[in-house]
Amino acid sequence: MARTRYAPDRGLTRRMGLTMFLIGLLYVVFVGVLIAAFGNAWPFIVLLAGGFLFAQFWFSDRIAAYSMGAREVTPEQAPELHGAVDRLCALADMPKPKVAIADTDVPNAFATGRSQKKAMVCATTGLLRRLERDELEGVLAHELSHVAHRDVAVMTVAAFLGVLAGLITRIALWTGLSRGGRNNNALLLLIPLVSAVVYVISFLLTRVLSRYRELSADRTGALLTGRPSALASALTKVSGQMGRIPTRDLRQAEPFNAFYFAPALSGDGLSRLFSSHPTLEQRLDRLGRLSRELGQP
């Protein structure tokens, strides 16, 4: 992590490293299986995999911001939002990211960017309408923690590798089958199975990492502002307001849950195992304990 006043989280650093190592290992095995099945086409497979990974790393932040409707705003257009980000960046001793607003009533916020210099922090119009100043700063401190710890970039790349496995499988199988012939039928049958395994394991690893990073951002963001109660209030308010948003709008936002401050839709029971966020109860409990540690009521 680049030096900031955000409290370092070695647990998060270890988990990010382990997740990337395991997913990278899966990916190497997967590409190896493809090369074994389509030996003559191995340069094409390696080039395709490398090209997609390069494009994802360099352009993922722009793609994510565009997909979520983020529009960069100036201090004149959004003085309150810029003022809050300015105060937090000065407090954290970190470069100021781009500041954006997404025009949606879903109350949420997110951060993107592969580095602090390329980062963007975005709040929705629904969030800005509903939160008080200290609550907004709590949410923004949470999002800036993701930037400071660089877990946004790790999550983006990790999630993409699973999707890329399926994409390369379809291209490789289509290419091999259309040329008709000399490939081992057993390997051709094995490739979709390996691809599915890579996707499922990648999905589970990123979900486990995502839940931990949200708890980490809650803690380090609250430590930075010194007001865990403000973040807890924002969490409670945002989660309560989600039930008043039309289901159609929530479903449109749901694919980006892993990036959001709070999930647009959350499930119960078994579905929580696959959730990108801890439960509201877990987050509030951690923030309550942090308040007591800081000697706050």
Side-chain angles (χ1 to χ4, degrees), residues 107 233-244 261-263 280 283:
S233 175
L235 266 171
T236 303
K237 189 176 290 186
V238 166
S239 299
Q241 290 290 321
M242 286 295 183
R244 303 181 182 182
F261 167 67
L280 175 62
R283 298 176 76 175

Side-chain angles (χ1 to χ4, degrees), residues 190-258:
L190 181 63
I191 288 173
L193 176 62
V194 173
S195 175
V197 169
V198 169
Y199 178 80
V200 169
I201 295 178
S202 299
F203 179 86
L204 293 176
L205 286 172
T206 53
R207 285 300 183 269
V208 171
L209 176 61
S210 180
R211 290 194 291 272
Y212 184 91
R213 85 184 187 112
E214 292 301 330
L215 291 174
S216 175
D218 282 347
R219 178 177 176 81
T220 54
L223 283 173
L224 181 73
T225 63
R227 296 191 299 273
S229 59
L231 180 56
S233 175
L235 266 171
T236 303
K237 189 176 290 186
V238 166
S239 299
Q241 290 290 321
M242 286 295 183
R244 303 181 182 182
I245 304 298
T247 303
R248 178 194 60 195
D249 295 340
L250 293 178
R251 294 204 178 280
Q252 288 176 349
E254 187 180 15
F256 306 105
N257 268 352

Side-chain angles (χ1 to χ4, degrees), residues 79-178:
E80 182 180 358
L81 182 58
H82 268 274
V85 174
D86 284 334
R87 287 190 293 273
L88 291 169
C89 287
L91 190 61
D93 191 22
M94 65 184 290
K96 182 181 179 181
K98 296 176 183 177
V99 178
I101 291 177
D103 188 14
T104 171
D105 196 44
V106 179
N108 234 316
F110 62 89
T112 66
R114 63 181 184 273
S115 68
Q116 291 184 19
K117 293 181 179 179
K118 300 292 184 180
M120 170 184 283
V121 173
C122 178
T124 66
T125 52
L127 186 82
L128 296 174
R129 281 198 298 269
R130 289 173 171 88
L131 297 190
E132 302 297 329
R133 172 178 162 176
D134 60 340
E135 294 170 337
L136 177 62
E137 287 193 358
V139 173
L140 293 174
H142 170 106
E143 294 304 327
L144 288 171
S145 174
H146 288 316
V147 174
H149 288 112
R150 295 185 177 176
D151 56 73
V152 173
V154 171
M155 278 294 298
T156 302
V157 173
F160 177 71
L161 289 178
V163 176
L164 182 56
L167 178 62
I168 293 179
T169 295
R170 289 193 292 271
I171 294 174
L173 282 174
W174 180 82
T175 303
L177 293 174
S178 66

Side-chain angles (χ1 to χ4, degrees), residues 8-19 149 209 212-213 216:
D9 189 328
R10 292 181 177 85
L12 177 62
T13 302
R14 287 195 299 270
R15 284 169 172 80
M16 288 193 298
L18 180 61
T19 299
H149 288 112
L209 176 61
Y212 184 91
R213 85 184 187 112
S216 175

